[in-house]
Amino acid sequence: MEGEIKNVVTDERIDRYLDITKRALDKIRIAAPERSFNRRLADSFMEMAVSYYNDAKHFRKTGDIVTAFAAVNYAHGWLDCGARIGLFDVDGDDQLFTLFE
């Protein structure tokens, strides 16, 4: 964004990050087989991501956008990690996720 101040968490910035992470959550499909150890890992990664995402929405609602910004970035970090190591199928989306190749 032209002229955007980069060192301030604004309402627009946190809303944009919440939207990106919501779209990522909606896209993910667990790739690990149901009865595998990796499925337990994938479920745990999703639980952490959803928990941090919900925390971020809560903090955003209460006006604590700095903590919301931290929480939404933790949430997306769990999603990126799960996608990168193959726990999640993200259909090759390298815009919402940081993939290895």
Side-chain angles (χ1 to χ4, degrees):
M1 298 181 137
E2 184 83 23
E4 179 181 22
I5 298 172
K6 301 289 185 185
N7 64 347
V8 176
V9 179
T10 62
D11 288 335
E12 294 79 15
R13 182 170 283 168
I14 187 59
D15 290 343
R16 186 170 68 241
Y17 276 68
L18 285 167
D19 176 65
I20 290 167
T21 300
K22 173 68 170 125
R23 288 188 288 127
L25 282 165
D26 289 345
K27 183 161 204 163
I28 282 178
R29 301 294 169 253
I30 294 179
E34 185 70 36
R35 297 177 57 210
S36 69
F37 179 74
N38 279 352
R39 178 58 180 247
R40 291 181 63 202
L41 288 176
D43 289 343
S44 179
F45 275 46
M46 278 300 289
E47 181 181 348
M48 294 300 292
V50 169
S51 292
Y52 274 111
Y53 177 74
N54 288 334
D55 287 349
K57 290 192 313 182
H58 166 77
F59 290 123
R60 170 65 177 104
K61 184 177 178 181
T62 64
D64 185 355
I65 62 172
V66 171
T67 306
F69 190 71
V72 76
N73 280 286
Y74 264 85
H76 209 103
W78 280 100
L79 300 177
D80 272 343
C81 185
R84 189 168 179 134
I85 64 175
L87 297 177
F88 303 141
D89 177 1
V90 298
D91 197 29
D93 188 332
D94 62 359
Q95 299 299 304
L96 289 176
F97 304 94
T98 304
L99 303 177
F100 185 68
E101 293 184 23

XYZ file of all heavy atoms in Angstrom:
817
model
N 0.841 -1.184 0.000
C 0.000 0.000 0.000
C 0.884 1.244 0.000
O 1.763 1.390 0.846
C -0.917 0.003 1.213
C -1.886 -1.143 1.264
S -2.927 -1.015 2.722
C -4.474 -1.409 1.998
N 0.614 2.113 -0.906
C 1.360 3.356 -1.064
C 1.217 4.235 0.174
O 0.111 4.478 0.647
C 0.833 4.103 -2.297
C 1.575 5.363 -2.619
C 2.835 5.107 -3.411
O 2.911 4.056 -4.070
O 3.708 5.961 -3.378
N 2.321 4.690 0.715
C 2.313 5.622 1.827
C 1.946 5.014 3.168
O 1.771 5.724 4.150
N 1.819 3.691 3.225
C 1.441 3.031 4.470
C 2.594 3.088 5.467
O 3.746 2.839 5.129
C 1.079 1.575 4.177
C 0.685 0.790 5.393
C 0.353 -0.653 5.077
O 0.810 -1.168 4.039
O -0.351 -1.259 5.875
N 2.274 3.424 6.704
C 3.273 3.407 7.764
C 3.527 1.957 8.130
O 2.603 1.206 8.438
C 2.792 4.219 8.989
C 2.586 5.679 8.597
C 3.783 4.095 10.130
C 1.941 6.514 9.683
N 4.783 1.531 8.103
C 5.125 0.120 8.259
C 5.341 -0.308 9.711
O 5.389 -1.486 9.994
C 6.397 -0.196 7.468
C 6.287 0.101 5.994
C 5.382 -0.870 5.310
C 5.390 -0.609 3.822
N 4.484 -1.387 3.086
N 5.513 0.633 10.642
C 5.840 0.249 12.013
C 4.681 0.459 12.990
O 4.894 0.584 14.184
C 7.086 1.008 12.486
C 6.858 2.508 12.551
O 5.874 3.008 12.040
N 7.776 3.215 13.175
N 3.464 0.458 12.463
C 2.275 0.645 13.288
C 1.248 -0.433 12.906
O 1.005 -0.665 11.728
C 1.657 2.044 13.073
C 0.363 2.197 13.851
C 2.642 3.140 13.453
N 0.684 -1.068 13.924
C -0.401 -2.015 13.659
C -1.697 -1.214 13.594
O -2.131 -0.639 14.581
C -0.497 -3.098 14.759
C -1.650 -4.045 14.461
C 0.812 -3.852 14.891
N -2.270 -1.160 12.424
C -3.509 -0.413 12.226
C -4.689 -1.377 12.200
O -4.513 -2.589 12.046
C -3.467 0.350 10.887
O -3.353 -0.614 9.828
C -2.309 1.336 10.835
N -5.889 -0.824 12.328
C -7.095 -1.646 12.199
C -7.118 -2.353 10.845
O -7.448 -3.539 10.765
C -8.354 -0.784 12.342
C -8.589 -0.306 13.764
O -8.112 -0.961 14.713
O -9.261 0.725 13.924
N -6.750 -1.632 9.804
C -6.758 -2.203 8.460
C -5.755 -3.343 8.343
O -6.036 -4.370 7.727
C -6.448 -1.131 7.409
C -7.507 -0.067 7.297
C -7.443 1.009 8.391
O -6.412 1.127 9.098
O -8.450 1.713 8.555
N -4.585 -3.172 8.941
C -3.550 -4.210 8.850
C -3.979 -5.470 9.588
O -3.855 -6.577 9.070
C -2.227 -3.692 9.395
C -1.113 -4.727 9.267
C 0.230 -4.160 9.576
N 0.648 -3.391 8.407
C 1.682 -2.556 8.395
N 2.386 -2.368 9.474
N 2.002 -1.907 7.305
N -4.486 -5.343 10.806
C -4.895 -6.540 11.550
C -6.071 -7.220 10.852
O -6.125 -8.442 10.766
C -5.194 -6.242 13.039
C -5.458 -7.557 13.810
C -6.349 -5.320 13.224
C -4.337 -8.552 13.795
N -6.983 -6.425 10.309
C -8.113 -7.019 9.582
C -7.636 -7.780 8.351
O -8.152 -8.858 8.033
C -9.136 -5.950 9.205
C -9.878 -5.406 10.414
O -9.854 -6.042 11.492
O -10.492 -4.322 10.279
N -6.630 -7.250 7.660
C -6.073 -7.925 6.482
C -5.421 -9.252 6.887
O -5.632 -10.283 6.242
C -5.066 -7.022 5.770
C -4.563 -7.607 4.472
C -3.745 -6.619 3.654
N -2.482 -6.299 4.299
C -2.110 -5.082 4.695
N -2.910 -4.038 4.522
N -0.944 -4.886 5.248
N -4.661 -9.253 7.968
C -4.011 -10.482 8.429
C -5.029 -11.507 8.912
O -4.876 -12.707 8.678
C -2.985 -10.177 9.519
C -1.645 -9.770 8.978
C -1.477 -8.561 8.306
C -0.537 -10.583 9.133
C -0.249 -8.187 7.810
C 0.697 -10.205 8.646
C 0.844 -9.012 7.980
O 2.064 -8.649 7.487
N -6.068 -11.056 9.599
C -7.126 -11.977 10.020
C -7.798 -12.615 8.808
O -8.088 -13.812 8.803
C -8.152 -11.260 10.895
C -7.717 -10.964 12.326
C -8.670 -9.973 12.983
C -7.605 -12.238 13.148
N -8.031 -11.830 7.775
C -8.658 -12.342 6.551
C -7.757 -13.365 5.861
O -8.234 -14.429 5.435
C -8.978 -11.189 5.601
C -9.541 -11.697 4.287
O -10.644 -12.284 4.299
O -8.867 -11.523 3.252
N -6.482 -13.076 5.760
C -5.544 -14.000 5.116
C -5.512 -15.326 5.866
O -5.577 -16.403 5.262
C -4.135 -13.373 5.049
C -4.115 -12.219 4.033
C -3.078 -14.427 4.696
C -2.868 -11.351 4.113
N -5.443 -15.257 7.185
C -5.381 -16.484 7.977
C -6.694 -17.243 7.916
O -6.705 -18.477 7.848
C -4.960 -16.173 9.422
O -3.659 -15.563 9.387
C -4.901 -17.425 10.273
N -7.811 -16.559 7.871
C -9.113 -17.214 7.724
C -9.179 -17.960 6.392
O -9.633 -19.104 6.320
C -10.239 -16.180 7.824
C -11.615 -16.730 7.525
C -12.084 -17.697 8.590
C -13.540 -18.034 8.405
N -13.777 -19.455 8.300
N -8.714 -17.320 5.331
C -8.703 -17.982 4.019
C -7.791 -19.205 4.031
O -8.111 -20.239 3.437
C -8.286 -17.007 2.921
C -9.392 -15.988 2.620
C -9.112 -15.127 1.413
N -8.057 -14.164 1.692
C -6.958 -13.991 0.955
N -6.768 -14.713 -0.126
N -6.065 -13.086 1.277
N -6.658 -19.111 4.736
C -5.748 -20.249 4.850
C -6.407 -21.389 5.626
O -6.331 -22.554 5.219
C -4.448 -19.815 5.522
N -7.055 -21.072 6.736
C -7.759 -22.095 7.515
C -8.828 -22.790 6.683
O -9.005 -24.005 6.771
C -8.391 -21.475 8.761
C -7.460 -21.180 9.924
C -8.132 -20.253 10.925
C -7.010 -22.469 10.590
N -9.539 -22.017 5.887
C -10.602 -22.585 5.051
C -10.059 -23.494 3.947
O -10.753 -24.402 3.497
C -11.442 -21.471 4.429
C -12.313 -20.748 5.437
O -12.510 -21.261 6.556
O -12.795 -19.641 5.105
N -8.835 -23.252 3.512
C -8.261 -23.990 2.398
C -7.627 -25.317 2.814
O -7.630 -26.282 2.051
C -7.213 -23.141 1.691
C -6.622 -23.827 0.486
C -5.978 -22.858 -0.428
C -5.952 -23.490 -1.813
N -5.731 -22.537 -2.844
N -7.105 -25.375 3.993
C -6.336 -26.539 4.442
C -7.185 -27.801 4.522
O -8.311 -27.770 5.010
C -5.707 -26.255 5.822
C -4.486 -25.377 5.643
C -5.349 -27.532 6.561
C -3.820 -25.011 6.930
N -6.584 -28.887 4.052
C -7.127 -30.229 4.237
C -6.014 -31.051 4.863
O -4.857 -30.969 4.427
C -7.557 -30.863 2.911
C -8.620 -30.080 2.166
C -9.955 -30.059 2.923
N -10.868 -29.106 2.325
C -11.184 -27.936 2.864
N -10.664 -27.550 4.001
N -12.042 -27.122 2.283
N -6.348 -31.834 5.852
C -5.328 -32.656 6.494
C -4.924 -33.773 5.544
O -5.779 -34.490 5.008
C -5.832 -33.183 7.848
C -6.011 -31.995 8.802
C -4.864 -34.216 8.423
C -6.520 -32.337 10.170
N -3.619 -33.902 5.326
C -3.089 -34.868 4.368
C -2.726 -36.202 5.014
O -2.688 -37.220 4.340
C -1.851 -34.282 3.682
N -2.461 -36.194 6.301
C -2.000 -37.404 6.983
C -3.137 -38.419 7.126
O -4.280 -38.046 7.386
C -1.454 -37.036 8.360
N -2.823 -39.700 6.960
C -3.840 -40.741 7.118
C -4.452 -40.741 8.524
O -3.778 -40.420 9.506
C -3.067 -42.044 6.870
C -1.862 -41.636 6.087
C -1.526 -40.253 6.552
N -5.693 -41.109 8.597
C -6.482 -41.049 9.832
C -5.802 -41.706 11.025
O -5.799 -41.153 12.114
C -7.855 -41.693 9.581
C -8.804 -41.586 10.751
C -9.293 -40.174 11.011
O -9.505 -39.442 10.035
O -9.457 -39.814 12.196
N -5.232 -42.878 10.860
C -4.703 -43.625 11.998
C -3.189 -43.510 12.132
O -2.556 -44.328 12.785
C -5.117 -45.086 11.876
C -6.652 -45.219 11.942
C -7.130 -46.629 11.747
N -6.528 -47.517 12.740
C -6.286 -48.805 12.516
N -6.582 -49.345 11.361
N -5.756 -49.543 13.451
N -2.596 -42.470 11.570
C -1.144 -42.299 11.614
C -0.725 -41.327 12.720
O -1.519 -40.517 13.201
C -0.633 -41.776 10.266
O -1.060 -40.444 10.068
N 0.545 -41.429 13.090
C 1.104 -40.473 14.050
C 1.043 -39.062 13.475
O 0.747 -38.103 14.183
C 2.551 -40.846 14.402
C 3.183 -39.884 15.352
C 2.822 -39.871 16.697
C 4.127 -38.969 14.916
C 3.385 -38.973 17.585
C 4.698 -38.066 15.797
C 4.331 -38.074 17.137
N 1.301 -38.944 12.178
C 1.263 -37.615 11.552
C -0.131 -37.004 11.614
O -0.272 -35.780 11.621
C 1.769 -37.667 10.113
C 3.277 -37.648 10.054
O 3.957 -37.441 11.061
N 3.822 -37.868 8.873
N -1.155 -37.830 11.637
C -2.515 -37.290 11.780
C -2.661 -36.623 13.140
O -3.267 -35.566 13.267
C -3.547 -38.413 11.597
C -4.990 -37.953 11.772
C -5.313 -36.832 10.762
N -6.656 -36.381 10.893
C -7.588 -36.564 9.960
N -7.312 -37.175 8.828
N -8.801 -36.116 10.158
N -2.106 -37.246 14.173
C -2.139 -36.636 15.506
C -1.400 -35.299 15.489
O -1.847 -34.338 16.103
C -1.546 -37.581 16.541
C -2.434 -38.803 16.771
C -1.886 -39.735 17.810
N -1.829 -39.053 19.098
C -1.030 -39.427 20.093
N -0.234 -40.460 19.954
N -1.036 -38.765 21.232
N -0.267 -35.259 14.790
C 0.472 -33.999 14.670
C -0.351 -32.956 13.918
O -0.439 -31.796 14.333
C 1.802 -34.215 13.936
C 2.896 -34.942 14.686
C 4.102 -35.152 13.776
C 3.297 -34.169 15.922
N -0.941 -33.361 12.797
C -1.748 -32.441 11.994
C -2.912 -31.892 12.808
O -3.182 -30.682 12.780
C -2.251 -33.132 10.730
N -3.588 -32.760 13.535
C -4.701 -32.312 14.375
C -4.219 -31.326 15.436
O -4.878 -30.326 15.717
C -5.389 -33.505 15.041
C -6.193 -34.358 14.070
O -6.508 -33.887 12.954
O -6.494 -35.516 14.436
N -3.062 -31.605 16.026
C -2.502 -30.712 17.035
C -2.124 -29.359 16.427
O -2.395 -28.301 17.014
C -1.273 -31.362 17.680
O -0.702 -30.505 18.637
N -1.509 -29.381 15.248
C -1.156 -28.135 14.564
C -2.416 -27.311 14.284
O -2.429 -26.094 14.472
C -0.424 -28.419 13.249
C 1.057 -28.628 13.373
C 1.603 -29.449 14.360
C 1.919 -28.026 12.483
C 2.965 -29.649 14.461
C 3.289 -28.215 12.569
C 3.817 -29.023 13.553
N -3.469 -27.982 13.809
C -4.727 -27.281 13.524
C -5.330 -26.703 14.802
O -5.819 -25.571 14.808
C -5.733 -28.209 12.846
C -5.524 -28.361 11.373
S -5.651 -26.813 10.450
C -7.399 -26.512 10.564
N -5.290 -27.487 15.870
C -5.827 -27.004 17.144
C -5.093 -25.742 17.599
O -5.721 -24.772 18.033
C -5.710 -28.100 18.205
C -6.255 -27.690 19.549
C -6.114 -28.779 20.601
O -5.805 -29.940 20.256
O -6.301 -28.451 21.781
N -3.770 -25.750 17.476
C -2.983 -24.574 17.867
C -3.323 -23.373 16.962
O -3.527 -22.258 17.454
C -1.486 -24.879 17.799
C -1.033 -25.905 18.814
S -1.335 -25.412 20.529
C -0.190 -24.071 20.692
N -3.399 -23.613 15.662
C -3.694 -22.523 14.727
C -5.070 -21.931 14.995
O -5.225 -20.703 15.045
C -3.596 -23.027 13.285
N -6.060 -22.771 15.175
C -7.427 -22.291 15.422
C -7.490 -21.556 16.761
O -8.140 -20.504 16.868
C -8.436 -23.455 15.361
C -9.803 -23.040 15.882
C -8.548 -23.975 13.932
N -6.811 -22.065 17.765
C -6.808 -21.404 19.080
C -6.194 -20.007 18.995
O -6.764 -19.040 19.511
C -6.050 -22.247 20.102
O -6.738 -23.436 20.375
N -5.043 -19.910 18.342
C -4.410 -18.595 18.199
C -5.260 -17.668 17.330
O -5.355 -16.468 17.601
C -2.998 -18.719 17.621
C -1.960 -18.971 18.676
C -1.314 -20.199 18.760
C -1.606 -17.992 19.592
C -0.349 -20.440 19.726
C -0.646 -18.220 20.560
C -0.021 -19.441 20.626
O 0.934 -19.671 21.581
N -5.874 -18.203 16.287
C -6.743 -17.392 15.434
C -7.935 -16.851 16.242
O -8.275 -15.666 16.151
C -7.228 -18.199 14.227
C -8.180 -17.433 13.354
C -7.727 -16.420 12.523
C -9.539 -17.712 13.366
C -8.609 -15.703 11.722
C -10.425 -17.000 12.568
C -9.951 -15.996 11.760
O -10.826 -15.274 10.982
N -8.560 -17.719 17.031
C -9.675 -17.273 17.870
C -9.227 -16.257 18.913
O -9.951 -15.295 19.195
C -10.365 -18.471 18.523
C -11.174 -19.274 17.526
O -11.634 -18.754 16.506
N -11.344 -20.551 17.801
N -8.044 -16.459 19.481
C -7.491 -15.465 20.401
C -7.315 -14.125 19.696
O -7.646 -13.070 20.244
C -6.139 -15.921 20.959
C -6.239 -17.034 21.972
O -7.358 -17.349 22.431
O -5.175 -17.612 22.301
N -6.792 -14.171 18.479
C -6.579 -12.943 17.710
C -7.895 -12.212 17.480
O -7.971 -10.979 17.636
C -5.905 -13.260 16.374
N -8.941 -12.951 17.121
C -10.248 -12.314 16.921
C -10.764 -11.699 18.221
O -11.325 -10.602 18.205
C -11.262 -13.325 16.379
C -10.999 -13.741 14.956
C -12.148 -14.507 14.336
C -12.673 -15.599 15.218
N -13.753 -16.388 14.609
N -10.557 -12.396 19.332
C -10.979 -11.871 20.636
C -10.239 -10.572 20.953
O -10.865 -9.569 21.339
C -10.730 -12.904 21.738
C -10.826 -12.331 23.100
N -12.032 -12.048 23.710
C -9.864 -11.949 23.976
C -11.808 -11.523 24.900
N -10.496 -11.452 25.092
N -8.911 -10.584 20.806
C -8.135 -9.384 21.101
C -8.509 -8.241 20.160
O -8.571 -7.079 20.577
C -6.632 -9.670 21.045
C -6.152 -10.534 22.174
C -5.495 -11.718 21.917
C -6.353 -10.170 23.499
C -5.046 -12.527 22.953
C -5.910 -10.961 24.544
C -5.247 -12.146 24.271
N -8.779 -8.559 18.891
C -9.205 -7.532 17.930
C -10.515 -6.903 18.381
O -10.686 -5.693 18.350
C -9.356 -8.169 16.535
C -10.012 -7.271 15.498
C -9.132 -6.079 15.210
N -9.675 -5.244 14.177
C -10.287 -4.073 14.414
N -10.462 -3.637 15.643
N -10.713 -3.341 13.404
N -11.430 -7.745 18.823
C -12.749 -7.267 19.260
C -12.646 -6.355 20.481
O -13.396 -5.393 20.613
C -13.640 -8.470 19.568
C -15.058 -8.124 19.929
C -15.889 -9.377 20.141
C -17.296 -9.015 20.547
N -18.109 -10.220 20.768
N -11.700 -6.662 21.380
C -11.536 -5.845 22.593
C -10.651 -4.627 22.374
O -10.424 -3.860 23.300
C -10.970 -6.689 23.758
O -9.659 -7.139 23.424
C -11.882 -7.858 24.087
N -10.141 -4.467 21.150
C -9.337 -3.298 20.829
C -7.849 -3.457 21.056
O -7.084 -2.520 20.836
N -7.415 -4.637 21.475
C -5.980 -4.887 21.695
C -5.378 -5.414 20.403
O -5.105 -6.607 20.253
C -5.807 -5.873 22.848
C -4.352 -6.102 23.225
O -3.450 -5.579 22.536
O -4.127 -6.830 24.211
N -5.168 -4.509 19.449
C -4.747 -4.954 18.121
C -3.290 -5.397 18.071
O -2.924 -6.175 17.206
C -5.061 -3.919 17.021
C -4.326 -2.614 17.236
C -6.555 -3.710 16.896
C -4.476 -1.653 16.064
N -2.465 -4.948 19.003
C -1.076 -5.411 19.026
C -1.029 -6.891 19.405
O -0.365 -7.693 18.749
C -0.213 -4.555 19.974
C 1.167 -5.158 20.159
C -0.110 -3.127 19.443
N -1.745 -7.273 20.449
C -1.791 -8.679 20.839
C -2.515 -9.500 19.779
O -2.123 -10.638 19.488
C -2.452 -8.836 22.215
O -1.761 -7.995 23.148
C -2.391 -10.269 22.708
N -3.534 -8.940 19.163
C -4.228 -9.623 18.074
C -3.267 -9.893 16.922
O -3.279 -10.986 16.342
C -5.414 -8.791 17.590
N -2.434 -8.928 16.601
C -1.459 -9.066 15.522
C -0.469 -10.190 15.835
O -0.166 -11.016 14.976
C -0.733 -7.738 15.313
C 0.113 -7.673 14.083
C -0.463 -7.615 12.829
C 1.486 -7.640 14.176
C 0.316 -7.538 11.687
C 2.278 -7.569 13.043
C 1.697 -7.513 11.798
N -0.012 -10.241 17.082
C 0.907 -11.315 17.481
C 0.217 -12.667 17.369
O 0.783 -13.622 16.824
C 1.407 -11.080 18.902
N -1.002 -12.771 17.868
C -1.718 -14.044 17.871
C -2.021 -14.536 16.464
O -1.882 -15.732 16.172
C -3.004 -13.928 18.691
N -2.431 -13.642 15.571
C -2.762 -14.081 14.209
C -1.499 -14.543 13.483
O -1.544 -15.483 12.680
C -3.530 -13.007 13.405
C -2.637 -11.884 12.927
C -4.260 -13.644 12.231
N -0.365 -13.938 13.787
C 0.880 -14.383 13.166
C 1.327 -15.733 13.720
O 1.861 -16.563 12.974
C 1.959 -13.315 13.305
C 1.769 -12.238 12.267
O 2.054 -12.442 11.102
N 1.247 -11.099 12.683
N 1.124 -15.997 15.000
C 1.368 -17.334 15.543
C 0.466 -18.350 14.849
O 0.919 -19.432 14.465
C 1.097 -17.362 17.053
C 2.322 -17.183 17.894
C 2.800 -15.914 18.194
C 2.997 -18.280 18.411
C 3.931 -15.753 18.981
C 4.122 -18.124 19.197
C 4.585 -16.861 19.478
O 5.699 -16.703 20.252
N -0.806 -18.007 14.695
C -1.755 -18.916 14.042
C -1.268 -19.279 12.648
O -1.216 -20.456 12.274
C -3.143 -18.284 13.973
N -0.890 -18.272 11.883
C -0.476 -18.543 10.509
C 0.848 -19.302 10.469
O 1.080 -20.117 9.569
C -0.396 -17.249 9.692
C -0.674 -17.497 8.256
N -1.875 -17.187 7.670
C 0.069 -18.075 7.281
C -1.846 -17.536 6.390
N -0.674 -18.087 6.138
N 1.688 -19.069 11.460
C 2.943 -19.819 11.544
C 2.706 -21.316 11.687
O 3.390 -22.130 11.051
N 1.729 -21.701 12.515
C 1.383 -23.115 12.653
C 0.899 -23.677 11.314
O 1.241 -24.797 10.930
C 0.304 -23.316 13.722
C 0.852 -23.290 15.107
C 0.821 -22.244 15.991
C 1.526 -24.352 15.794
N 1.428 -22.596 17.173
C 1.862 -23.888 17.084
C 1.858 -25.651 15.445
C 2.530 -24.679 18.014
C 2.522 -26.449 16.376
C 2.848 -25.951 17.633
N 0.095 -22.892 10.594
C -0.417 -23.349 9.298
C 0.707 -23.496 8.279
O 0.774 -24.498 7.560
C -1.482 -22.380 8.775
C -2.713 -22.207 9.659
C -3.645 -21.167 9.061
C -3.419 -23.532 9.879
N 1.580 -22.501 8.215
C 2.716 -22.564 7.291
C 3.592 -23.774 7.578
O 4.010 -24.484 6.665
C 3.575 -21.298 7.389
C 3.116 -20.195 6.481
O 2.355 -20.452 5.536
O 3.539 -19.047 6.704
N 3.884 -23.990 8.837
C 4.738 -25.116 9.212
C 4.085 -26.435 8.810
O 4.738 -27.303 8.215
C 5.024 -25.074 10.705
S 6.188 -26.338 11.237
N 2.806 -26.598 9.122
C 2.111 -27.825 8.760
C 2.074 -28.058 7.264
O 2.216 -29.190 6.788
N 1.891 -26.980 6.509
C 1.885 -27.097 5.048
C 3.270 -27.457 4.525
O 3.418 -28.315 3.647
C 1.400 -25.792 4.418
N 4.276 -26.821 5.079
C 5.637 -27.027 4.588
C 6.149 -28.441 4.841
O 6.877 -28.994 4.021
C 6.574 -26.006 5.219
C 7.942 -26.015 4.613
C 8.722 -24.810 5.051
N 10.037 -24.858 4.462
C 10.617 -23.851 3.884
N 10.006 -22.690 3.823
N 11.815 -23.973 3.385
N 5.760 -29.046 5.964
C 6.243 -30.395 6.253
C 5.288 -31.483 5.763
O 5.525 -32.660 5.966
C 6.574 -30.584 7.749
C 5.338 -30.447 8.639
C 7.682 -29.632 8.169
C 5.601 -30.757 10.110
N 4.196 -31.088 5.106
C 3.323 -32.046 4.451
C 2.187 -32.602 5.294
O 1.533 -33.546 4.878
N 1.925 -32.013 6.455
C 0.785 -32.454 7.250
C -0.522 -31.989 6.629
O -1.550 -32.643 6.781
C 0.884 -31.919 8.688
C 2.078 -32.390 9.510
C 2.062 -31.718 10.874
C 2.089 -33.902 9.632
N -0.459 -30.856 5.937
C -1.643 -30.259 5.322
C -1.512 -30.234 3.810
O -0.441 -29.947 3.273
C -1.840 -28.814 5.800
C -1.946 -28.638 7.281
C -1.346 -27.559 7.892
C -2.650 -29.529 8.063
C -1.449 -27.370 9.260
C -2.759 -29.360 9.436
C -2.145 -28.271 10.036
N -2.598 -30.500 3.142
C -2.681 -30.330 1.695
C -3.248 -28.940 1.449
O -4.353 -28.620 1.896
C -3.605 -31.393 1.104
C -3.796 -31.240 -0.390
O -3.209 -30.322 -1.003
O -4.551 -32.042 -0.953
N -2.471 -28.101 0.767
C -2.899 -26.729 0.486
C -2.995 -26.487 -1.018
O -3.008 -25.353 -1.474
C -1.976 -25.696 1.174
C -2.040 -25.856 2.684
C -0.540 -25.809 0.679
N -3.037 -27.591 -1.781
C -3.204 -27.530 -3.232
C -2.133 -26.669 -3.907
O -2.410 -25.942 -4.848
C -4.609 -27.040 -3.577
C -4.993 -27.344 -5.008
O -4.491 -28.336 -5.568
O -5.802 -26.571 -5.573
N -0.920 -26.718 -3.359
C 0.191 -25.989 -3.964
C 0.121 -24.482 -3.827
O 0.857 -23.771 -4.510
N -0.732 -23.969 -2.973
C -0.925 -22.517 -2.826
C 0.278 -21.881 -2.137
O 0.462 -21.996 -0.929
C -2.193 -22.245 -2.017
C -2.578 -20.780 -1.984
O -1.676 -19.914 -2.094
O -3.775 -20.483 -1.827
N 1.104 -21.199 -2.928
C 2.274 -20.531 -2.354
C 2.032 -19.039 -2.135
O 2.966 -18.281 -1.898
C 3.518 -20.770 -3.204
C 3.391 -20.222 -4.613
O 2.320 -19.668 -4.953
O 4.353 -20.349 -5.382
N 0.779 -18.637 -2.190
C 0.413 -17.266 -1.853
C -0.037 -17.182 -0.391
O 0.336 -16.255 0.319
C -0.700 -16.749 -2.772
C -0.311 -16.711 -4.236
C 0.868 -15.794 -4.498
O 0.828 -14.625 -4.162
N 1.932 -16.342 -5.068
N -0.845 -18.157 0.034
C -1.309 -18.179 1.421
C -0.335 -18.910 2.340
O -0.390 -18.733 3.552
C -2.680 -18.861 1.514
C -3.865 -18.100 0.950
C -5.136 -18.947 1.039
C -4.062 -16.784 1.693
N 0.540 -19.745 1.765
C 1.418 -20.588 2.568
C 2.856 -20.484 2.087
O 3.113 -20.239 0.913
C 0.970 -22.057 2.470
C -0.460 -22.258 2.874
C -1.463 -22.256 1.912
C -0.799 -22.425 4.195
C -2.790 -22.428 2.275
C -2.138 -22.583 4.565
C -3.123 -22.578 3.608
N 3.772 -20.740 2.999
C 5.199 -20.787 2.654
C 5.564 -22.253 2.426
O 5.723 -23.014 3.377
C 6.051 -20.203 3.798
O 5.597 -18.887 4.085
C 7.512 -20.157 3.420
N 5.654 -22.637 1.170
C 5.968 -24.013 0.817
C 7.464 -24.151 0.586
O 8.176 -23.173 0.382
C 5.182 -24.430 -0.432
C 3.672 -24.297 -0.301
C 3.001 -24.654 -1.616
C 3.138 -25.142 0.843
N 7.955 -25.376 0.587
C 9.382 -25.621 0.418
C 9.825 -25.419 -1.022
O 10.836 -24.820 -1.291
C 9.741 -27.030 0.902
C 11.209 -27.301 0.859
C 12.076 -26.642 1.720
C 11.746 -28.212 -0.042
C 13.435 -26.879 1.680
C 13.101 -28.453 -0.091
C 13.953 -27.795 0.782
N 9.068 -25.952 -1.956
C 9.423 -25.801 -3.382
C 8.219 -25.352 -4.162
O 7.120 -25.557 -3.835
C 9.941 -27.123 -3.940
C 11.262 -27.504 -3.321
C 11.826 -28.772 -3.957
O 11.473 -29.097 -5.092
O 12.636 -29.411 -3.294
